[in-house]
Amino acid sequence: MRRVSIFGATGSIGQNTIDLIRRAPEEYDVVALTGGCNITQLAKDAVALKADIAVTAYPEKLDELRRALAGSGVKTAAGEMALAEAAARPADWVMSAIVGAAGLKPGIVALEQGATLALANKESLVCAGRLLLGTAARSKARILPVDSEHSAIFQGLVGEELSAVERILITASGGAFRDWPLEDLAKATVEQASTHPNWDMGQRITIDSASMFNKAMEVIETREFFGVDPKQIEVLVHPESLVHALVGFQDGALMAHVGAADMRHAIGYALHWPERKPLPVERLDLTKIGQLNFHAPDDQRYPALRLARETMARGGLMGAVFNAAKERALDHFIAGRIGFLDMADLTEWVMAALDQEPGLIDASMTLDSVAHVDHLARMAADERVTRI
């Protein structure tokens, strides 16, 4: 039996992972499940999967978790330290699906134990790609991508030499506002931004899709994970969300990954790698689909893509600044303090402000330095909003 842990078990990625594991429970020994505020779901899954331990990120939720798991034999814990301790428990395969920068430390700890890390937490690579990949190399651990785009790229490179790659194209649905007139975007509401045309995801990532901040993060992820030049990375708006990425080779060929908009494709590939096993996903009927559409993203509509390229050009710890600023900008948008378009403006302002601090962005990349600039970026964003 393979020992597995799922960090971010109550989110959409975690729930899809659990769905696949529950279809073959005899193959897995579940070590740890972690979640946030959804204690009912966390406890239910911990019991069903016979997990060794269930951890909530919120200490104030620990008593509720203990009550929910009383008599089950499942251990309980809470807080940042408990997440790291859960990641240190021996496991063969760990799903990293905690949303935000909070997913970085558990991922690092899991890699230090030599576990295969299935990475759905894009913030880890954006904030500290060099640190994460370096830890994997030292521990002889493997990182497998779970973002649908990066899984598609990874699969497109099987049997290929990276030196033969000419370009990588990642696709974006365009989000909720892809067809809106530009002049209407400033008036977009949280409710409108929280509805995705193709994918069933959480609120935060759905809004990030509408602003294209999620794709901006994925551009940086592509550079970090595959080590390609940023000039080789292109973004295409693809409303059908069926082609997840394409790899272009120096002979002019394009290798595309095509599949239904179902995250179990990428999760299942990482879970079963290096094998390819049957998955309970829709089989596409191309005769019914008829056609696929692609067009270049509008820089005015999606300024986040420009900010991603500026982040990569600056280097150092700017990825951590970019991520923290965009996370706080999203918080302020959801809270109604700023408008939809203000998220990109706020992120750009924070990036410029912290880049003026001598030596800050060029400091050595460690967990502490990443946490430090993350904190400063969040403070700067909050102060800026307070003054607006």
Side-chain angles (χ1 to χ4, degrees):
M1 295 178 73
R2 293 173 68 200
R3 296 169 301 174
V4 302
S5 291
I6 304 172
F7 287 76
T10 57
S12 60
I13 296 294
Q15 288 296 294
N16 277 307
T17 304
I18 288 170
D19 174 71
L20 294 179
I21 288 173
R22 292 186 71 168
R23 292 170 187 269
E26 70 284 355
E27 296 182 12
Y28 305 101
D29 174 16
V30 178
V31 177
L33 295 183
T34 82
C37 292
N38 191 346
I39 300 301
T40 300
Q41 187 67 55
L42 179 59
K44 176 184 174 182
D45 291 330
V47 171
L49 296 178
K50 301 177 182 177
D52 295 341
I53 188 169
V55 181
T56 171
Y58 299 100
E60 64 272 20
K61 292 287 184 177
L62 180 57
D63 286 344
E64 183 182 350
L65 182 61
R66 283 174 174 162
R67 289 193 298 271
L69 287 171
S72 68
V74 179
K75 296 182 177 66
T76 58
E80 182 180 349
M81 180 96 47
L83 289 173
E85 290 172 352
R89 288 175 173 249
D92 303 306
W93 187 92
V94 175
M95 169 57 76
S96 174
I98 295 174
V99 175
L104 175 59
K105 187 173 182 178
I108 291 281
V109 173
L111 287 172
E112 289 173 341
Q113 313 312 309
T116 292
L117 188 70
L119 188 65
N121 173 264
K122 54 175 54 69
E123 291 83 3
S124 293
L125 280 174
V126 172
C127 296
R130 205 163 63 244
L131 182 61
L132 196 76
L133 296 170
T135 302
R138 286 191 301 274
S139 303
K140 295 181 171 53
R142 179 174 289 276
I143 303 174
L144 296 174
V146 174
D147 264 353
S148 59
E149 295 79 6
H150 302 96
S151 177
I153 297 165
F154 187 79
Q155 294 179 55
L157 289 171
V158 171
E160 304 287 351
E161 294 292 334
L162 194 59
S163 59
V165 174
E166 187 174 73
R167 56 184 178 146
I168 291 176
L169 302 94
I170 58 176
T171 60
S173 68
F177 306 137
R178 65 190 177 205
D179 300 319
W180 277 39
L182 279 172
E183 58 271 19
D184 291 347
L185 291 180
K187 298 176 287 186
T189 67
V190 173
E191 183 180 4
Q192 290 167 328
S194 300
T195 303
H196 197 281
N198 300 342
W199 296 88
D200 181 15
M201 306 182 292
Q203 182 188 47
R204 295 181 70 84
I205 193 170
T206 301
I207 297 174
D208 276 350
S209 176
S211 66
M212 204 75 93
F213 264 110
N214 72 322
K215 206 56 52 178
M217 299 278 283
E218 288 166 9
V219 169
I220 300 172
E221 269 190 285
T222 302
R223 193 280 299 269
E224 294 292 338
F225 194 91
F226 299 101
V228 296
D229 189 297
K231 293 178 182 177
Q232 294 177 276
I233 306 168
E234 303 174 28
V235 175
L236 285 175
V237 175
H238 170 48
E240 292 84 4
S241 292
L242 297 177
V243 178
H244 303 298
L246 306 97
V247 179
F249 296 95
Q250 58 191 7
D251 62 358
L254 283 171
M255 195 80 71
H257 180 285
V258 186
D262 189 328
M263 282 306 301
R264 291 177 298 178
H265 270 296
I267 296 167
Y269 188 82
L271 181 63
H272 301 136
W273 184 90
E275 297 182 65
R276 188 184 287 273
K277 292 187 176 182
L279 293 173
V281 299
E282 177 189 356
R283 272 49 176 174
L284 296 181
D285 184 341
L286 297 180
T287 62
K288 292 181 179 178
I289 294 167
Q291 65 179 18
L292 301 173
N293 296 281
F294 304 91
H295 62 268
D298 182 343
D299 287 343
Q300 285 186 285
R301 185 180 298 274
Y302 305 118
L305 296 176
R306 171 180 56 81
L307 295 179
R309 298 200 178 275
E310 291 177 6
T311 297
M312 292 186 291
R314 179 60 182 84
L317 293 170
M318 187 56 81
V321 174
F322 172 78
N323 175 70
K326 81 94 185 169
E327 283 191 13
R328 287 305 288 150
L330 177 56
D331 292 338
H332 289 302
F333 172 62
I334 291 173
R337 301 185 192 102
I338 63 174
F340 180 76
L341 294 179
D342 297 327
M343 289 190 289
D345 291 341
L346 179 58
T347 301
E348 185 169 20
W349 185 91
V350 173
M351 290 169 62
L354 267 63
D355 200 20
Q356 294 175 13
E357 296 291 329
L360 179 67
I361 303 303
D362 296 314
S364 297
M365 185 177 287
T366 65
L367 277 174
D368 286 342
S369 65
V370 170
H372 179 58
V373 298
D374 177 277
H375 175 67
L376 293 178
R378 291 171 193 273
M379 285 182 55
D382 292 347
E383 291 171 3
R384 178 69 172 172
V385 170
T386 300
R387 293 199 302 267
I388 293 176

